[in-house]
Amino acid sequence: MFPKTGNTFQNAGKKPNTQIEYRDAIWIALTSELGGTHQAAKTTMRWTGVSERTARNWISGTHAPAGEHLVELMRNSDAVLSAVLALAGRREAHAFARLDLVRTELQAMLDAIDVIEDYRTPILD
């Protein structure tokens, strides 16, 4: 019998840490936003169009979404969006996006206060 020759690969058969980090980040994001209940799976199914089993696998942390399903989760879940941006080292990108939303909400609140003050002013005079 001939001796085994050829290249051996480090970590052969093991998942790289980045895959595990990704799977865990999605799992944590989904459970923090939706919980680990049956309703969480139903919500995830509605967002992505996947089967209940697939949604449960994501929520339990045994598997992670890929491709178009990840995009749908990011579209519907701020927690998933934050997790993916953090994994990519782009945490500040989400902060800037949230800043625009906060600015819009704050302006709407200020406008509502102005309307209330307009109605209140004649009463005090």
Side-chain angles (χ1 to χ4, degrees):
M1 184 176 285
F2 295 105
K4 183 177 177 183
T5 61
N7 294 332
T8 58
F9 296 101
Q10 189 177 18
N11 295 331
K14 295 181 184 178
K15 288 185 178 183
N17 287 338
T18 55
Q19 286 181 343
I20 294 169
E21 288 175 15
Y22 167 65
R23 184 189 67 213
D24 288 349
I26 298 301
W27 162 60
I28 291 168
L30 286 174
T31 55
S32 70
E33 187 165 343
L34 302 175
T37 65
H38 180 69
Q39 187 59 39
K42 292 290 187 184
T43 301
T44 303
M45 290 167 53
R46 189 174 58 251
W47 286 349
T48 60
V50 299
S51 69
E52 184 173 0
R53 183 176 184 167
T54 300
R56 283 194 330 249
N57 285 339
W58 296 345
I59 292 168
S60 69
T62 58
H63 294 82
E68 67 273 7
H69 297 134
L70 178 61
V71 171
E72 290 302 321
L73 286 174
M74 291 169 63
R75 179 176 291 136
N76 290 285
S77 168
D78 283 340
V80 173
L81 177 61
S82 291
V84 171
L85 289 173
L87 286 173
R90 302 287 309 267
R91 193 179 300 268
E92 73 282 353
H94 189 248
F96 288 125
R98 292 289 304 157
L99 186 61
D100 287 338
L101 292 173
V102 169
R103 179 178 285 125
T104 302
E105 291 175 14
L106 182 59
Q107 186 60 51
M109 291 176 73
L110 290 171
D111 292 343
I113 289 170
D114 288 344
V115 168
I116 291 169
E117 284 183 346
D118 287 345
Y119 285 115
R120 191 179 69 158
T121 303
I123 295 172
L124 295 177
D125 289 340

